Amino acid sequence: MRISELSARSGVAIPTIKYYLREGMLHQGVQTSATRAEYGESHLRRLRLIRALLDVGRLSVSSIKKVVAAVDDESLPIHEMLGIAHYALSPGAQPEPGEDWQQARSEVDRLVEDLGWDITPDAPTRDELAQTLVRMRQLGMEVDLAPYVETAGRLVSEVEMDKIPFDGPRDAAVEALVLGTVLYGRVFDALRRMAHESESAARLGS
Amino acid sequence: MRISELSARSGVAIPTIKYYLREGMLHQGVQTSATRAEYGESHLRRLRLIRALLDVGRLSVSSIKKVVAAVDDESLPIHEMLGIAHYALSPGAQPEPGEDWQQARSEVDRLVEDLGWDITPDAPTRDELAQTLVRMRQLGMEVDLAPYVETAGRLVSEVEMDKIPFDGPRDAAVEALVLGTVLYGRVFDALRRMAHESESAARLGS
């Protein structure tokens, strides 16, 4: 298809498509003349991936570039590729001076160890969780991680992982993993806020 | 305490505190002379609330202003106040032309009805969930909401709601609700991504 059709079918404006091409986030089409290129289903799919990460996942363009580069780099072992994609998904948190941070971070490390979870020591999710714990304690909130650990672990292992085609082509696996992480995260978050609204209405007798 | 101590204890820079005072997000201190004001624990608490919503919740300053204005407006019935706070927490989604959107949005409305959830017809979470469904289907992902509905509903009703002091002062209730929604949301999201990393390591035999 021509770029105009690619734009119409993906809902992405032509100048934006050209930007993705220049930035290497979208692979070049097949040049059919000096001014024309043909695009195919793989281009459409990539644009939909970018768009989902952008407007549903609310990832920055630079994070999406990292994810997409990891998907495209065929020399990376699949586990490393997944690691890069995972880390690009973390909003990140800066360690803070002080004992509160140290304590929260040790608690996270201990939790990971007790659960036997296989997570690299420098995974940004460790700092992210530590930051959240610090803020909750500063606000005097009591924090009980147990139901969240149990629920997140179960959803991921019993539902989400079974949808990842680990035995298929590597780009399909990483794409499914990234999309599952981001999109099911949004699904869960929206449903949780809906349940919050409904439950507070019930308890307040609206 | 003086503004310098308020800054040191909250970790918020003095110019930022002055900005929040000007914007009405932080209540004025007690003026003790033409150039001095005294601040108390309520100021510290408000700053921690703002900071948590900003750097953990990643809400925009304009969303935080709406939340804080709802907390401070004592003429609002508590349920309306919670509604405003809830809606400020939604990243929002624009309805899109086309049948895919209509279908996804009807599906969300039917789900809410089937569950008997008490959610206003114009709640932004409805569009947010519809947008996510549209994107997932465009990418050919099969979507099964059931485990997410079940899990989100149970976490909220059995764990999170019991922490909200509905019988105490109204600002304590709304603060707890907003913080619970945002901070436990981040806790869950970080844990879910950790579980993803660990499970994919296990399945790929890293």
Side-chain angles (χ1 to χ4, degrees), chain B:
Chain B
M1 71 189 99
R2 302 277 299 281
I3 196 167
S4 51
E5 189 186 342
L6 183 63
S7 170
R9 286 184 60 194
S10 63
V12 178
I14 292 177
T16 309
I17 294 179
K18 289 185 175 168
Y19 168 76
Y20 294 151
L21 286 166
R22 274 198 310 279
E23 293 288 317
M25 294 162 75
L26 181 66
H27 44 295
Q28 301 295 329
V30 176
Q31 210 71 31
T32 53
S33 81
T35 55
R36 274 195 196 181
E38 267 294 301
Y39 298 93
E41 291 302 316
S42 66
H43 295 89
L44 190 58
R45 188 164 176 88
R46 172 57 58 90
L47 286 176
R48 285 178 173 158
L49 171 69
I50 294 171
R51 197 170 172 210
L53 295 177
L54 206 58
D55 66 8
V56 181
R58 290 166 210 276
L59 296 192
S60 65
V61 170
S62 69
S63 296
I64 296 174
K65 265 176 95 163
K66 282 183 213 158
V67 170
V68 152
V71 174
D72 289 342
D73 181 354
E74 295 187 8
S75 72
L76 279 180
I78 187 164
H79 184 63
E80 267 181 53
M81 176 174 71
L82 292 180
I84 291 170
H86 259 132
Y87 295 177
L89 298 181
S90 171
Q94 291 304 314
E96 289 161 26
E99 221 175 280
D100 290 355
W101 177 276
Q102 286 307 327
Q103 201 188 316
R105 174 61 206 247
S106 308
E107 194 180 329
V108 170
D109 292 342
R110 212 158 42 237
L111 174 75
V112 168
E113 207 181 320
D114 289 350
L115 289 166
W117 279 3
D118 188 353
I119 291 167
T120 57
D122 58 348
T125 38
R126 292 178 188 252
D127 281 343
E128 208 186 316
L129 187 55
Q131 186 194 47
T132 312
L133 294 179
V134 168
R135 291 288 172 280
M136 292 174 103
R137 295 208 172 112
Q138 282 177 341
L139 287 152
M141 296 169 75
E142 41 156 336
V143 185
D144 176 13
L145 292 181
Y148 295 87
V149 168
E150 192 275 325
T151 308
R154 203 161 35 81
L155 260 187
V156 168
S157 68
E158 291 177 13
V159 180
E160 298 184 11
M161 279 293 149
D162 290 342
K163 298 203 177 85
I164 313 290
F166 284 109
D167 48 356
R170 35 179 283 134
D171 58 342
V174 77
E175 198 185 298
L177 193 92
V178 167
L179 286 170
T181 302
V182 172
L183 298 180
Y184 276 110
R186 293 295 156 186
V187 163
F188 187 82
D189 196 51
L191 285 168
R192 208 175 131 268
R193 279 178 285 117
M194 288 169 128
H196 263 267
E197 177 176 349
S198 178
E199 275 284 323
S200 39
R203 298 202 187 198
L204 290 164
S206 71

